[in-house]
Amino acid sequence: MAEGRLIFITGTDTGVGKSYATGLLARAYLELGLRVITAKPVQTGATEPEDLLLHRRIMRLPPDPPELLSLTGPYLFSYPAAPATAAKKEGRRVEIARIVEALRRLRATYEVVLVEGAGGLFVPFTEDHTFLDLIQLFLSPVVVVSAARLGTINHTVLTLEALRLRSLVIPALIYNLYFAEDEYLAEESLSDILRIFGPLPVLRMPGFSPENPPVATVREFLTKTPGLRP
């Protein structure tokens, strides 16, 4: 069987909707007939793998059994901080080699592996590696999730430029409208992002609805977006 595709999901900041977006993409790929799994290599600020549980809820799948969870969510820390900081607080360490091996094993089984980061690109995963460093080890495409709120132009363009400087492919921007309080401002901000950075496929993600996600819209987007097409 051919090796599957890794697609990384990053955000312009913490709390911008990465987990919902990851679960939504996974559900859409499932409905397109692909073998799909999501991974959250490091979860912090929780006593259970909350983001993976949200993914599975959206995907309409049960929680991962322990043998799969050891690959999809190898690190869990209760302290709410960057992975390296949370690990240090608990007297532990995040090993980048363990994460790399887990993702390689998932890629050997699934056609699409969606990998959600923690916070933004430069969040320290280990003492020596950021999330961006992990992405670059695989040279995989990166979907960026951005929140439609004040400040998004700067945050989004900086994130996109950081990926471009590493010569990484950005197949799409997911623009999370859950935070939009002013429709005009949200659309003008998105226009400015694309004017400054350049053309980019955009998926406008409405609201937060794990029980009734807009799967049809996302399926259509995936089939029309070259870097994400099944």
Side-chain angles (χ1 to χ4, degrees):
M1 184 177 69
E3 194 172 67
R5 300 160 60 194
L6 281 179
I7 301 172
F8 286 86
I9 316 296
T10 193
T12 56
D13 198 352
T14 190
V16 296
K18 294 188 305 298
S19 298
Y20 182 65
T22 302
L24 189 52
L25 290 171
R27 170 77 176 275
Y29 274 123
L30 277 176
E31 293 197 2
L32 287 168
L34 279 73
R35 294 188 305 278
V36 184
I37 196 69
T38 66
K40 176 85 175 188
V42 186
Q43 170 90 62
T44 67
T47 56
E48 60 179 5
E50 294 175 351
D51 293 344
L52 282 174
L53 291 173
L54 177 59
H55 300 168
R56 300 297 174 263
R57 179 180 165 196
I58 296 169
M59 297 166 73
R60 296 182 177 176
L61 294 176
D64 296 348
E67 62 273 16
L68 179 57
L69 185 60
S70 67
L71 302 178
T72 59
Y75 290 102
L76 176 64
F77 302 102
S78 61
Y79 191 67
T85 303
K88 184 177 181 181
K89 175 74 173 178
E90 298 184 17
R92 298 164 60 193
R93 293 185 63 187
V94 175
E95 299 289 344
I96 203 73
R98 179 180 173 187
I99 295 174
V100 169
E101 177 60 21
L103 295 181
R104 285 176 173 162
R105 289 178 63 185
L106 290 172
R107 190 169 59 176
T109 303
Y110 295 89
E111 292 175 284
V112 176
V113 182
L114 300 171
V115 187
E116 181 190 344
L121 288 175
F122 289 98
V123 168
F125 259 45
T126 72
E127 294 179 358
D128 303 311
H129 297 88
T130 64
F131 183 55
L132 181 55
D133 295 327
L134 173 63
I135 295 170
Q136 194 153 31
L137 290 175
F138 289 94
L139 297 177
S140 293
V142 188
V143 173
V144 174
V145 181
S146 175
R149 62 190 180 198
L150 199 61
T152 194
I153 298 170
N154 184 64
H155 294 164
T156 305
V157 173
L158 284 175
T159 299
L160 295 170
E161 288 288 1
L163 291 167
R164 181 153 63 185
L165 283 172
R166 298 281 186 109
S167 300
L168 292 166
V169 173
I170 310 164
L173 170 68
I174 295 181
Y175 195 55
N176 189 357
L177 296 170
Y178 175 77
F179 300 94
E181 297 179 355
D182 182 323
E183 184 178 345
Y184 173 78
L185 177 61
E187 287 303 317
E188 286 298 303
S189 295
L190 178 58
S191 294
D192 284 337
I193 289 167
L194 299 178
R195 176 179 56 80
I196 296 167
F197 180 76
L200 191 64
V202 177
L203 172 62
R204 289 168 172 81
M205 186 171 70
F208 178 77
S209 179
E211 307 308 332
N212 189 29
V215 184
T217 300
V218 181
R219 283 201 315 264
E220 183 179 3
F221 181 79
L222 292 177
T223 58
K224 292 181 177 180
T225 305
L228 298 174
R229 189 176 294 148

